[in-house]
Amino acid sequence: MRLHRLAVTAFGPFAEAQEIDFDALSAAGIFLLHGPTGAGKTSVLDAVCYALYGSVPGSRQAPGTSLRSDHATAGTPTEVTLELTAGGRRLEISRRPEQERPKKRGTGTTKDKAQSRLREHTGEGWTPLSRSHQEIGEEIEQLLGMSREQFCQVVLLPQGEFARFLRADEAARGRLLGRLFDTRRFAAVETLLAERRRAAEAEVRAGDEKVLHTAQRLAQAAGDSADLRDWPLPGHQPGDPGLAGAVRAWAAVARCSARERLDVADHALVATESRHAAARRAAEDARERDRLQRRHAETLRRSALLAEAEPERARVRALLDRAGRGARVAPALELRGAAFAAHLTAAHAESTARAELPPALREAGTEQLAAVEQRLREELGALGAAHRAEQRSAEIGRERADLERESRAAEEQHQESADWLERWDDTRAALQERVDAAQQAATLAEQLAGRLEPARMQLDAARRRDGFARDAELAEAELATLREESAAARERWLDLKEARLRGIAAELAEALVAGEACTVCGSAEHPAPARPAPGHVDRAAEDAAHAAFERAERDRAGAERRLAVAAEGRAEAASVVGDATTAELLEATSDLTDRHAAAHTAAAGLHTARERLARAEREHAARSADRLGAETRAAARASRREALDREQAGLESELALVRGDAPTVAARARTLEDRVRMVSAAATCLRRAESAAGRLKEADDQLADAAFKAGFDTVEAAAEAVLPDYERTALQHRLDAWQSEQTLLADRLAETGTAEAAALPPAEPEAAEALAVRAAAKLRTAGSACDAARVRCEELDRLSRQAERELRALGPLREAYDRVARLAGLTAGTSADNERRMRLEAYVLAARLEQVAAAATVRLQRMSGGRYTLVHSDARAGGRGRSGLGLHVVDAWTGSERDTATLSGGETFFASLALALGLADVVTDEAGGTRLDTLFIDEGFGSLDDQALDEVLDVLDSLRERDRSVGIVSHVADLRTRVQAQLEVVKQRGGSVVRHRTAALTD
């Protein structure tokens, strides 16, 4: 990077435009920037930094500090322009900070935003690149390879900071080196490892808590066991390495104890089951003997009842025998009944059917009716063609009606379109007028919007003016009161002071001591000391009055300041408003607002009006086209109507012959169908009546034959003997039941066990059952105890397996935590393995500091005549301090190594300058090898003698070997005779100016 030209206007102490030609200054290799204190030497460096990065060095960019010159006129803008070469490109950067300027119209000021501009010089001249602050900043930082902090340390070389760097502790050095070399990624590694350690620790603690939770569930599952009372549950805290062994041991003891209790419960259950089985067998025997005894008694009772029912059994058997003979006649009876019913039904149907026939056919036979039916069906078949002709005639009528409706609709539409087209010119004119009105409203709204904002600003200013006026009136009234109070307090204080002076002798007399000299006359004798007069004023009263006067003066001054602020605000607001009143401005603003709102509302319909006009034009085109097509369609409908009329007239003449006296062919067909059905039904009924009479005669013959064969004298006797099936079934069931009962009782009386049980004493089943119930309760209790013991064993086994899985899963987590914890402790410098307690970031910075010390030593040895060498020290700090960023100086004359804080003033300058130059080289290499052709050294030369100054200048002059130019910022007078190229900053009443000078070098 090489600077060529710097131009500043109204910046810092420079009121007028100043231009610095760095090309001319850099030609000599070393140039001097000098001037009296406060002239603005450092402001030149601030301007370079501001042009590059948009801000001045951090120590001089205090909050509320303005870059604008206090000497500049109101109309002169603050601007800095820097021309430089970086990365092989010739660039020009111009920047203006945010600043106040007078308004172009009216009075007062307005604020301009910050502006930036970047241009590049090519073969065709200056080419604009960007006006964005962010883009320019990124471009410059990429070209230079340095941030603003690095630039201020590397290019501007502030010597005072490096002197502090030499004497600083390791923490302060770490902060400076961290900003220069950007070691945030290593600090991020430390933070990441610390977070991972905390995360791993949380996982281990979660795993331990999970294991402890499982252990608690093991304890709940184990219950109250005498074997575990002397073996407490593990109470380890999460993270305890001994937790796994304790949980495994306790779980093993719990499982052994549970299995022992299960074995005891199994033996108790077997014994209880034996006793329960014996009780159940005794209860079953008692219930069986009781059953047999009751069965024998019931059999005897039922045998007696059966013997008493013997006469009834004989009567039922006789009824069943007669009903059996009648059952053989029942089919013939049923057949004759069915034939008689069918004959009655057929005869009734025949009478009904003959009554419906015409009188000529009521006495006709079957063959005559069949002939009539055949003739009617032939006539009905001939109506099919006529029916189709009638349907076609109806279709023609509907089609013609449709044509009439279409004609009427087309005529109405044609008339409506014709009316619409007649109104088209007026409609289009009205729609176009709406579009024009909306367009004019939009233009008016834009104009009113431009006038509305200034009107609102004037109204706000008028309201501020009125508010300040009210504040000024209140402040004036308050000031008048405070002035009177201040004057009264001053008079009170002066009166008390005068009264105290009149009685000062008595006050001095009170301090007199016998035998001691008077402070006024010097005499040791005090024959007649003065006495205080009535109402004497002492010093306390005078001081109180003076304090009251000062308070009144402060209140008065505050009121005057408030009055001045109100007056200034009122004047500023009045300069914007003029003579207009707030009511006038409010009325004007309201009128503008209403007009703007009305215009904006009217303009909102512009799009709708345009859409309506376009829609109407499209409709006009469509209606014009439809009017031409409607005439063609009307002619086609007329031709179709005439053809349909001719076809329908022919069909109607044919149908009139077929219909006869019926209104339609369908009605004629329905009449014929009714006659066919009537004749056919009558013939059918006649045939059925003849058939039913023949079947009735056959049934009578069969019934008489069946009654004779069954042993009945008459048909009526056979009919009386027939019983319904349900009665025969009931009688047979009664007879079968008596027979079954007799057989069953005989079998029971023949049972050996029943007779034997009846001979034994009565059984007691309730007592035996009670014993069995008590035995079952004991069995359930024993079974529950055994099941509980078995479940306890299973639960303990399951929880033990779960605990084992959790402990196995916890092992890798604990190993990972140990590994991450060791790494985190090592990088944080808290681990015992880190002997020097160096953090990772400090370790990296120590390597950079070692490079800086090596680069600085090359120049320090030359400036100190080979005496001093800077070395990096990683010795551990005392107490709890960290190590790694120590900086020592080795004295070749004594062979001793000491801290840099012990150097003298001149030696400190040597070391700080060498350190600054060495740091510049290392940071430049760290930034990618960006070439730095211009450096500045700020102050520090006043502490050197002539010989040391010569050595330092020789070192600086050697920088030209790398084609560098060095600017020395100093007010030391001796440098003016040693450095030829000079830039003088001259301090004047109206602002500083710069002058290029060439000094005559002395021998």
Side-chain angles (χ1 to χ4, degrees):
M1 181 199 72
R2 178 178 292 279
L3 305 181
H4 299 293
R5 182 180 65 87
L6 175 66
V8 296
T9 303
F11 182 85
F14 306 108
E16 302 296 333
Q18 305 293 321
E19 184 171 335
I20 301 172
D21 188 356
F22 283 110
D23 287 338
L25 293 172
S26 301
I30 300 177
F31 62 91
L32 177 65
L33 177 60
H34 69 91
T37 301
K41 302 185 295 296
T42 305
S43 296
V44 175
L45 307 184
D46 290 346
V48 173
C49 185
Y50 177 72
L52 291 173
Y53 294 97
S55 60
V56 299
S59 59
R60 295 188 287 279
Q61 186 69 59
T65 303
S66 174
L67 301 178
R68 180 171 176 79
S69 175
D70 295 332
H71 303 284
T73 60
T76 303
T78 300
E79 185 175 14
V80 176
T81 301
L82 176 65
E83 187 177 336
L84 74 157
T85 297
R89 300 166 62 185
R90 186 76 171 256
L91 303 173
E92 182 189 76
I93 309 171
S94 298
R95 292 187 188 270
R96 287 188 178 185
E98 185 181 77
Q99 53 190 303
E100 298 280 348
R101 64 164 177 82
K103 293 183 176 179
K104 295 181 180 179
R105 289 180 292 182
T107 60
T109 61
T110 185
K111 181 174 291 186
D112 283 341
K113 295 182 179 180
Q115 302 178 19
S116 299
R117 183 187 65 188
L118 176 63
R119 301 193 302 171
E120 182 177 4
H121 190 275
T122 61
E124 300 177 357
W126 290 100
T127 302
L129 295 181
S130 177
R131 288 184 175 272
S132 170
H133 302 298
Q134 182 177 359
E135 290 180 358
I136 294 174
E138 293 176 354
E139 182 73 15
I140 295 301
E141 187 166 341
Q142 183 177 4
L143 286 173
L144 299 184
M146 291 180 287
S147 64
R148 190 197 66 174
E149 290 77 9
Q150 291 176 319
F151 177 83
C152 294
Q153 293 288 344
V154 173
V155 179
L156 303 186
L157 299 182
Q159 293 302 300
E161 289 192 16
F162 280 97
R164 288 193 298 272
F165 181 80
L166 288 172
R167 295 184 174 89
D169 57 9
E170 296 190 5
R173 286 177 185 157
R175 287 192 295 271
L176 175 60
L177 293 174
R179 290 197 305 270
L180 294 178
F181 293 106
D182 192 13
T183 56
R184 290 175 295 179
R185 60 186 182 277
F186 300 103
V189 170
E190 297 177 18
T191 304
L192 176 62
L193 289 174
E195 291 177 355
R196 288 187 177 180
R197 179 185 59 78
R198 288 192 293 271
E201 183 180 4
E203 290 181 353
V204 171
R205 292 182 64 86
D208 286 345
E209 291 175 355
K210 191 174 182 181
V211 171
L212 287 175
H213 177 67
T214 304
Q216 294 292 339
R217 294 177 62 188
L218 278 167
Q220 294 175 359
D224 186 13
S225 176
D227 298 334
L228 297 175
R229 293 173 184 170
D230 298 331
W231 191 281
L233 181 70
H236 297 68
Q237 294 296 324
D240 190 347
L243 178 62
V247 170
R248 287 190 177 100
W250 193 91
V253 173
R255 290 196 304 272
C256 291
S257 176
R259 290 192 181 93
E260 291 178 357
R261 284 189 282 177
L262 177 59
D263 293 340
V264 172
D266 284 337
H267 291 302
L269 178 60
V270 171
T272 306
E273 287 177 346
S274 299
R275 291 191 293 271
H276 175 261
R280 291 306 306 169
R281 286 194 298 271
E284 290 174 358
D285 292 343
R287 286 197 298 272
E288 180 63 19
R289 187 171 62 178
D290 180 66
R291 184 185 68 82
L292 293 175
Q293 290 177 347
R294 286 187 284 104
R295 180 184 181 87
H296 186 267
E298 179 67 16
T299 300
L300 295 178
R301 184 183 65 80
R302 290 167 64 182
S303 297
L305 293 176
L306 184 60
E308 294 176 357
E310 182 59 30
E312 181 65 17
R313 290 173 62 190
R315 187 184 68 81
V316 168
R317 278 195 293 270
L319 287 175
L320 281 177
D321 179 63
R322 190 168 183 271
R325 287 185 294 110
R328 291 196 294 272
V329 185
L333 286 171
E334 293 177 358
L335 182 60
R336 198 269 175 185
F340 181 74
H343 178 263
L344 289 178
T345 302
H348 178 72
E350 178 187 0
S351 301
T352 302
R354 286 184 180 278
E356 293 177 358
L357 290 173
L361 298 176
R362 287 179 182 174
E363 299 299 330
T366 304
E367 294 178 358
Q368 185 180 358
L369 292 176
V372 173
E373 179 183 358
Q374 180 64 30
R375 180 175 56 79
L376 292 174
R377 289 187 182 276
E378 290 175 356
E379 186 178 354
L380 182 62
L383 294 178
H387 182 68
R388 289 190 294 273
E390 187 179 42
Q391 289 178 344
R392 174 57 186 163
S393 178
E395 290 176 359
I396 290 174
R398 289 192 295 271
E399 186 174 353
R400 196 174 185 287
D402 292 340
L403 287 175
E404 291 296 334
R405 285 195 298 272
E406 290 178 2
S407 297
R408 288 193 298 272
E411 182 64 26
E412 292 175 359
Q413 183 177 2
H414 180 269
Q415 185 63 36
E416 193 270 336
S417 296
D419 296 341
W420 192 91
L421 291 174
E422 288 179 0
R423 299 192 305 273
W424 165 242
D425 293 336
D426 297 338
T427 302
R428 189 181 187 285
L431 292 174
Q432 185 63 44
E433 184 179 355
R434 290 184 183 179
V435 172
D436 296 340
Q439 184 64 48
Q440 293 175 2
T443 304
L444 179 61
E446 293 180 358
Q447 296 174 355
L448 292 176
R451 295 169 55 191
L452 184 59
E453 186 61 26
R456 288 174 176 171
M457 294 177 62
Q458 286 189 337
L459 179 60
D460 293 340
R463 289 170 174 170
R464 291 199 304 274
R465 179 195 62 189
D466 297 345
F468 282 127
R470 290 191 296 272
D471 294 343
E473 292 177 359
L474 296 176
E476 288 177 353
E478 182 183 8
L479 180 60
T481 303
L482 292 175
R483 281 175 177 171
E484 294 177 358
E485 293 178 355
S486 176
R490 186 174 184 276
E491 292 178 2
R492 170 69 176 167
W493 169 55
L494 292 178
D495 292 343
L496 291 178
K497 184 176 182 180
E498 183 179 358
R500 179 170 176 254
L501 291 175
R502 288 196 300 267
I504 195 66
E507 186 173 339
L508 293 174
E510 291 180 354
L512 295 177
V513 179
E516 295 183 0
C518 177
T519 58
V520 178
C521 62
S523 175
E525 297 180 359
H526 317 296
R531 294 288 183 268
H536 173 69
V537 178
D538 56 5
R539 185 179 183 86
E542 180 187 355
D543 291 343
H546 185 263
F549 167 64
E550 289 182 343
R551 285 194 301 273
E553 279 293 297
R554 287 195 297 271
D555 295 341
R556 180 188 61 78
E560 290 178 348
R561 286 194 297 272
R562 290 191 293 275
L563 178 60
V565 170
E568 182 180 357
R570 180 177 59 188
E572 180 181 357
S575 64
V576 177
V577 179
D579 297 333
T581 64
T582 304
E584 294 173 351
L585 293 174
L586 178 59
E587 182 179 359
T589 304
S590 299
D591 180 60
L592 283 175
T593 302
D594 295 339
R595 292 170 59 195
H596 176 264
H600 187 270
T601 302
L606 177 59
H607 178 73
T608 304
R610 288 175 175 172
E611 287 293 329
R612 288 181 178 176
L613 178 58
R615 212 165 36 244
E617 291 176 346
R618 290 193 298 270
E619 186 176 358
H620 174 263
R623 286 179 180 269
S624 299
D626 288 344
R627 182 171 59 180
L628 297 177
E631 297 175 355
T632 302
R633 291 191 294 273
R637 283 194 297 271
S639 299
R640 179 61 177 167
R641 187 185 306 111
E642 293 176 357
L644 291 175
D645 290 344
R646 289 193 299 270
E647 183 180 0
Q648 190 175 27
L651 291 174
E652 287 296 328
S653 62
E654 295 176 0
L655 290 173
L657 299 176
V658 177
R659 290 172 185 160
D661 55 355
T664 62
V665 174
R668 177 61 178 170
R670 285 195 297 273
T671 301
L672 293 177
E673 289 174 355
D674 292 341
R675 291 178 180 178
V676 169
R677 283 196 299 273
M678 181 176 59
V679 172
S680 177
T684 302
C685 289
L686 183 57
R687 287 193 294 270
R688 289 177 180 175
E690 293 176 352
S691 176
R695 288 197 300 274
L696 177 59
K697 184 177 182 303
E698 292 177 359
D700 287 336
D701 294 341
Q702 292 177 1
L703 176 60
D705 186 59
F708 177 74
K709 290 179 179 180
F712 293 102
D713 296 335
T714 62
V715 173
E716 291 75 8
E720 292 177 359
V722 175
L723 293 178
D725 290 341
Y726 68 90
E727 290 186 7
R728 291 179 58 199
T729 303
L731 293 175
Q732 186 63 45
H733 284 171
R734 290 182 65 189
L735 189 61
D736 293 341
W738 281 324
Q739 185 63 37
S740 298
E741 180 76 6
Q742 185 176 4
T743 304
L744 176 63
L745 294 177
D747 293 339
R748 286 187 178 182
L749 292 175
E751 291 177 356
T752 306
T754 304
E756 293 176 354
L760 294 176
E764 297 180 357
E766 293 80 5
E769 187 65 28
L771 292 176
V773 169
R774 288 194 293 272
K778 293 180 180 179
L779 178 62
R780 286 194 297 271
T781 302
S784 299
C786 186
D787 292 340
R790 185 175 294 103
V791 170
R792 182 183 298 108
C793 289
E794 294 174 354
E795 184 68 10
L796 288 174
D797 291 340
R798 186 185 66 80
L799 291 175
S800 297
R801 291 192 297 272
Q802 178 179 342
E804 186 63 28
R805 288 194 300 271
E806 293 171 354
L807 290 172
R808 289 179 180 175
L810 186 59
L813 294 179
R814 197 180 296 281
E815 293 177 359
Y817 166 70
D818 294 339
R819 181 169 59 255
V820 172
R822 286 197 301 272
L823 285 174
L826 190 63
T827 56
T830 59
S831 173
D833 298 333
N834 193 334
E835 298 178 357
R836 299 187 180 278
R837 298 176 61 82
M838 290 179 65
R839 294 171 50 242
L840 178 61
E841 185 181 15
Y843 181 79
V844 177
L845 292 177
R848 294 291 187 269
L849 183 59
E850 188 173 359
Q851 296 174 0
V852 172
T857 296
V858 176
R859 297 180 175 88
L860 180 59
Q861 287 182 340
R862 186 171 178 181
M863 286 187 286
S864 63
R867 179 178 178 182
Y868 293 120
T869 301
L870 279 176
V871 295
H872 160 251
S873 173
D874 58 358
R876 181 171 178 178
R880 299 176 60 87
R882 305 291 178 88
S883 60
L885 297 179
L887 194 62
H888 291 176
V889 63
V890 178
D891 191 344
W893 291 1
T894 62
S896 61
E897 179 178 338
R898 53 196 173 98
D899 194 272
T900 53
T902 62
L903 295 175
S904 64
E907 293 170 344
T908 299
F909 176 76
F910 282 160
S912 62
L913 178 58
L915 187 63
L917 294 174
L919 184 61
D921 292 340
V922 174
V923 172
T924 300
D925 295 339
E926 178 74 13
T930 302
R931 184 177 179 82
L932 300 177
D933 299 321
T934 305
L935 298 177
F936 293 92
I937 301 175
D938 189 2
E939 295 298 341
F941 293 87
S943 60
L944 303 180
D945 54 24
D946 292 342
Q947 181 180 357
L949 186 59
D950 289 338
E951 293 175 347
V952 170
L953 291 178
D954 289 342
V955 171
L956 295 179
D957 190 58
S958 68
L959 296 177
R960 289 186 296 175
E961 298 174 0
R962 302 178 65 176
D963 196 20
R964 285 181 176 176
S965 61
V966 181
I968 300 175
V969 183
S970 178
H971 60 275
V972 176
D974 195 22
L975 288 173
R976 302 174 193 172
T977 62
R978 296 172 181 265
V979 180
Q980 182 179 6
Q982 300 178 8
L983 180 66
E984 181 181 8
V985 182
V986 181
K987 182 167 59 175
Q988 298 178 355
R989 181 178 295 274
S992 299
V993 296
V994 296
R995 298 174 182 171
H996 293 76
R997 294 179 180 274
T998 302
L1001 296 179
T1002 59
D1003 296 335

